[in-house]
Amino acid sequence: MTAHVLLGDGSTLRPLTARSAVLSTLLGSAGGSATPAELVALAGELGITENALRASLSRMLSGGEVTRGDDGYRLNDRLAERQRRQEVAVHAPTTTWDGTWLIAMVTVAGRDPSERAELRTGLRAARLAELREGVWVRPDNLACDLSRHPEVITWRGAHPESEVADLVDQLWDVGLWATRARHLLEAAGEHDLPENAGERFTVMAAIVRHLLDDPALPAELVPQDHPADLLRAAYAAYRELLRTRRQE
């Protein structure tokens, strides 16, 4: 069985369940699909028994999370959309920043709690931060598609340059994010041998989750040694390794 992974801050990453392992594999694969043989091989590396894997796949099929076709198991439409958002979030294609900020304001009141929660999730996924109730902002260096949220209007504006650092500190804990990123990079390096395949998979799944929380700020607003690009490179190298293995 894959062991817990101890990070440098004393926290631990628990081994993935069969369901989490399947979802992580499909979300990280091209096209969101994997063959039964690939999933069985992965389960073996993670210390998950074939019976546990098959039971989890059966429940996921019954629950509609995945479908079964000639090419194997595939994500349902909702999770395929989640994969698309994850791909954008992990790669975070930024542009040169000219000092402009994106401002998004919620214009519709009286929504039920589930609608409000969905909107907040969508705005956070777009890497905006809440400045105050109903007002969300971020530096305008990242393509933010908010078209699926018609209750939000956006515009761009400047912020006094002398106050930008204080605003960033108010909205994001860049130092805490960077510290966690460095611990994950260290763990990835410590578990990069073939015999550590299960632990490495666990670390890489944690890296993806951490990258989804990266605000993708302009270089001008983070320290020079900010580890975001290193974390993305580590995950990209791991995905390339998995892709090569699938072709062998």
Side-chain angles (χ1 to χ4, degrees):
M1 181 69 179
T2 299
H4 287 62
V5 176
L6 178 65
L7 298 184
D9 60 359
S11 64
T12 58
L13 303 177
R14 299 177 62 183
L16 300 181
T17 64
R19 176 182 175 276
S20 295
V22 170
L23 285 179
S24 294
T25 300
L26 296 181
L27 286 167
S29 67
S33 65
T35 66
E38 289 169 341
L39 293 176
V40 168
L42 171 69
E45 291 183 350
L46 299 182
I48 298 170
T49 67
E50 189 169 337
N51 285 340
L53 174 67
R54 294 189 185 282
S56 182
L57 285 170
S58 178
R59 289 192 295 269
M60 294 172 76
L61 283 168
S62 299
E65 292 181 294
V66 297
T67 60
R68 177 74 185 270
D70 293 338
D71 58 347
Y73 293 93
R74 183 176 295 276
L75 296 169
N76 66 14
D77 291 343
R78 179 181 62 82
L79 289 173
E81 173 61 19
R82 173 180 164 185
Q83 182 192 38
R84 185 195 68 78
R85 294 196 304 270
Q86 176 176 299
E87 286 295 307
V88 172
V90 167
H91 293 97
T94 57
T95 59
T96 301
W97 187 52
D98 63 1
T100 303
W101 285 68
L102 173 67
I103 305 161
M105 178 173 289
V106 180
T107 61
V108 178
R111 293 164 293 127
D112 65 44
S114 63
E115 291 175 329
R116 290 198 299 271
E118 181 181 1
L119 176 59
R120 294 177 70 86
T121 298
L123 292 171
R124 288 197 181 99
R127 290 180 157 87
L128 280 84
E130 192 170 24
L131 180 62
R132 57 178 179 270
E133 182 68 28
V135 180
W136 296 70
V137 300
R138 69 156 293 110
D140 190 23
N141 69 318
L142 188 69
C144 295
D145 182 10
L146 301 179
S147 59
R148 57 192 294 264
H149 301 297
E151 64 271 58
V152 173
I153 60 171
T154 63
W155 69 93
R156 272 115 180 128
H159 193 82
E161 186 174 349
S162 61
E163 300 176 9
V164 166
D166 290 338
L167 180 60
V168 170
D169 288 342
Q170 175 186 342
L171 297 173
W172 297 282
D173 193 334
V174 175
L176 181 63
W177 189 94
T179 297
R180 178 73 171 182
R182 293 188 182 96
H183 288 317
L184 289 170
L185 284 168
E186 182 181 8
E190 291 174 349
H191 296 89
D192 62 352
L193 299 177
E195 57 264 33
N196 300 129
E199 287 80 4
R200 192 179 188 190
F201 189 93
T202 298
V203 173
M204 288 300 162
I207 284 177
V208 171
R209 293 192 298 271
H210 198 54
L211 285 172
L212 294 177
D213 288 334
D214 173 24
L217 297 173
E220 298 91 332
L221 301 182
V222 295
Q224 286 189 339
D225 61 349
H226 192 60
D229 288 343
L230 291 176
L231 205 64
R232 288 190 173 85
Y235 178 62
Y238 182 68
R239 285 191 62 175
E240 179 61 22
L241 173 65
L242 294 182
R243 186 191 66 80
T244 301
R245 286 174 50 186
R246 291 183 69 173
Q247 294 177 344
E248 292 177 350

